[in-house]
Amino acid sequence: LAKTTQPISMDSYEGQEVNITCSHNNIATNDYITWYQQFPSQGPRFIIQGYKTKVTNEVASLFIPADRKSSTLSLPRVSLSDTAVYYCLVGDRRVDSNYQLIWGAGTKLIIKP
Amino acid sequence: ETGVTQTPRHLVMGMTNKKSLKCEQHLGHNAMYWYKQSAKKPLELMFVYNFKEQTENNSVPSRFSPECPNSSHLFLHLHTLQPEDSALYLCASSQYTGTEAFFGQGTRLTVV
């Protein structure tokens, strides 16, 4: 059973900022939050990973509140090519951890012109 | 290009055939995975190798048999498959289990 809950689908328009929220009420102390993007018939691609507060890279930002029970992936100024499925996962990244990431259904994001 | 290469990209096989999928990574990662993705379903983790030792087998039928001869290569041996095994099979690797995973392009398998 996936440890996360996220909307099944979202629509937006080119040039807009898109925020996808993920709920992970049972997140454990050692869990990190990771987001992936997947295009049809391709393997998922890592977007961003964080533990708390805010993480930003060249493609997205990840906002994590203090209680860590949810997180929000923010995609600035989306384009048509951002149409994809976005997955939120939580997992323990310690070297000796045997915990495996469990994938949910993800959020299908459709960007319109 | 993720650094994880899967071959073949497409495979059609009969139910009595034996075939193998190959995955290769030269990223220096210690964990490698096989996933199955059927149409409109989430990714299903099949096998995990951590430091060349199999650490997870999520109740996968014995007609799927993994092999990890070294830290850079992973195989999935297939025999007497069923049509419902048709899916996209994805290989991934990561530094350790739970860290950023790099996925291959996948093998689109069709069982006829």
Side-chain angles (χ1 to χ4, degrees):
Chain A
L1 192 65
K3 294 176 66 174
T4 62
T5 303
Q6 50 185 126
I8 293 177
S9 64
M10 292 180 67
D11 291 353
S12 189
Y13 292 89
E14 282 190 293
Q16 299 294 305
E17 177 184 82
V18 171
N19 296 309
I20 306 175
T21 297
C22 178
S23 172
H24 27 81
N25 291 315
N26 297 319
I27 190 168
T29 302
N30 294 310
D31 285 346
Y32 278 70
I33 301 153
T34 310
W35 286 80
Y36 287 85
Q37 174 193 57
Q38 186 180 25
F39 298 113
S41 297
Q42 292 188 25
R45 184 177 71 102
F46 172 87
I47 300 175
I48 198 166
Q49 185 178 69
Y51 184 81
K52 61 180 179 180
T53 63
K54 177 184 175 182
V55 180
T56 298
N57 62 23
E58 62 275 10
V59 297
S61 295
L62 179 60
F63 298 92
I64 306 167
D67 65 5
R68 305 202 325 123
K69 293 184 182 297
S70 66
S71 59
T72 299
L73 174 72
S74 181
L75 304 172
R77 297 179 299 282
V78 294
S79 64
L80 296 177
S81 62
D82 292 315
T83 294
V85 179
Y86 292 81
Y87 296 94
C88 165
L89 301 98
V90 297
D92 189 335
R93 50 177 280 176
R94 288 177 298 174
V95 172
D96 59 350
S97 168
N98 211 28
Y99 179 76
Q100 305 305 324
L101 295 176
I102 301 174
W103 297 70
T107 296
K108 185 172 184 179
L109 175 65
I110 297 174
I111 305 301
K112 302 175 183 178
Chain B
E1 194 61 50
T2 64
V4 179
T5 303
Q6 289 187 245
T7 54
R9 291 292 308 278
H10 301 273
L11 178 63
V12 179
M13 59 185 289
M15 290 189 282
T16 58
N17 291 160
K18 289 184 180 181
K19 296 286 184 182
S20 295
L21 308 185
K22 180 182 177 181
C23 178
E24 186 172 355
Q25 61 91 6
H26 294 288
L27 301 169
H29 288 168
N30 299 296
M32 295 188 76
Y33 315 78
W34 280 116
Y35 283 92
K36 174 185 177 183
Q37 188 170 36
S38 304
K40 299 182 180 179
K41 284 187 177 181
L43 275 75
E44 300 172 51
L45 180 64
M46 300 175 72
F47 301 103
V48 180
Y49 279 83
N50 200 22
F51 293 92
K52 296 189 296 178
E53 296 295 321
Q54 186 176 317
T55 60
E56 195 81 19
N57 175 351
N58 291 306
S59 303
V60 179
S62 59
R63 57 185 183 270
F64 295 92
S65 174
E67 178 189 2
C68 188
N70 55 59
S71 58
S72 299
H73 295 86
L74 187 64
F75 294 89
L76 187 63
H77 304 300
L78 317 170
H79 65 96
T80 58
L81 295 191
Q82 305 298 312
E84 60 264 29
D85 296 322
S86 298
L88 181 68
Y89 288 84
L90 291 160
C91 173
S93 72
S94 62
Q95 188 64 39
Y96 308 111
T97 56
T99 57
E100 174 187 352
F102 293 76
F103 284 79
Q105 292 281 64
T107 296
R108 173 67 63 186
L109 174 67
T110 303
V111 181
V112 298

